[in-house]
Amino acid sequence: MDLKVYGARGELTKAILNNNGYDVLGVGDLGLLARGVLGVSDEFEKVHEVSFIPHHSKFDLYNEKISEDDGFNLIDMRTYDYAYVLNEIAKSKLVISESLHGLIFADSLRVPNVWFKRKDLHVGGAFKFKDYFSTVGRSSHKNVDKLSDVARCNIFDDWYSVDQGVKDTQEWLDRFVEENGTDE
């Protein structure tokens, strides 16, 4: 099959594709570009101490158990209104996310974040998280499995590595657009 692969989420996917005879021009999740695409400002007042982003399949469960009185702002990713989601993340001092794109959007917006890693939540285990982490210099071990453990963990806020991931992602996207045009 003659297939041209412009980008993969991370180095793990790239290696699998390379091992199967496909060249991959770049790595990086397009979610890292959310800040620029949606024009999110740096001028957000931080009104949420901690925002929690459950996996979309678990939101209702957490919504029944957690309230703002518990100190958590719950962000529901089951929406097409990603401007709302990004604004809520941008207004947070810390994001705890069970959702990969919750972490990616927090990285894009430079909001310190922690991976809330639950056993057997995702098909494929931690692969997609580790794949993404490989593009922003993040250790997959910076996670918690209990909300009460957040205070004792290493918060991710390595913006230099994230900025490099954004740059790499933008480069392969630009290359794709240059070679293929847009539908605009």
Side-chain angles (χ1 to χ4, degrees):
M1 173 186 270
D2 187 26
L3 180 68
K4 188 168 189 175
V5 181
Y6 285 90
R9 174 177 285 141
E11 297 294 341
L12 301 177
T13 299
K14 179 181 178 182
I16 290 169
L17 290 166
N18 288 163
N19 289 339
N20 284 284
Y22 299 104
D23 289 328
V24 178
L25 298 179
V27 294
D29 192 288
L30 292 173
L32 275 174
L33 306 178
R35 172 192 206 97
V37 169
L38 294 176
V40 176
S41 166
D42 287 329
E43 303 302 319
F44 280 94
E45 179 183 352
K46 300 293 186 182
V47 296
H48 307 300
E49 287 295 319
V50 179
S51 286
F52 177 53
I53 305 174
H55 186 266
H56 65 86
S57 67
K58 302 291 185 189
F59 183 85
D60 291 332
L61 172 74
Y62 287 111
N63 196 33
E64 292 174 8
K65 295 182 176 186
I66 297 174
S67 73
E68 286 213 32
D69 295 336
D70 297 318
F72 295 98
N73 172 49
L74 283 178
I75 300 175
D76 189 352
M77 294 286 278
R78 303 171 304 173
T79 180
Y80 290 108
D81 185 0
Y82 281 96
Y84 164 79
V85 170
L86 290 170
N87 286 330
E88 285 297 294
I89 292 171
K91 292 189 287 186
S92 305
K93 291 181 181 177
L94 173 67
V95 167
I96 303 167
S97 184
E98 207 171 26
S99 160
L100 175 60
H101 278 89
L103 297 173
I104 293 170
F105 292 155
D107 285 348
S108 176
L109 296 166
R110 292 181 166 216
V111 175
N113 58 83
V114 174
W115 176 23
F116 187 58
K117 180 181 177 185
R118 301 295 297 211
K119 291 182 171 88
D120 301 325
L121 177 64
H122 297 92
V123 174
F127 179 87
K128 68 181 186 177
F129 288 85
K130 291 178 180 181
D131 196 29
Y132 166 68
F133 296 162
S134 72
T135 67
V136 293
R138 178 179 187 152
S139 166
S140 63
H141 302 293
K142 289 187 178 183
N143 63 69
V144 296
D145 61 4
K146 296 179 195 158
L147 292 177
S148 58
D149 289 343
V150 169
R152 292 185 289 131
C153 76
N154 294 319
I155 308 298
F156 184 75
D157 61 357
D158 181 359
W159 307 133
Y160 175 80
S161 293
V162 168
D163 288 347
Q164 186 60 50
V166 169
K167 180 178 176 250
D168 293 346
T169 302
Q170 187 66 59
E171 284 176 1
W172 75 253
L173 179 61
D174 290 345
R175 193 170 336 146
F176 174 81
V177 170
E178 181 179 307
E179 291 182 20
N180 297 283
T182 64
D183 290 338
E184 292 180 14

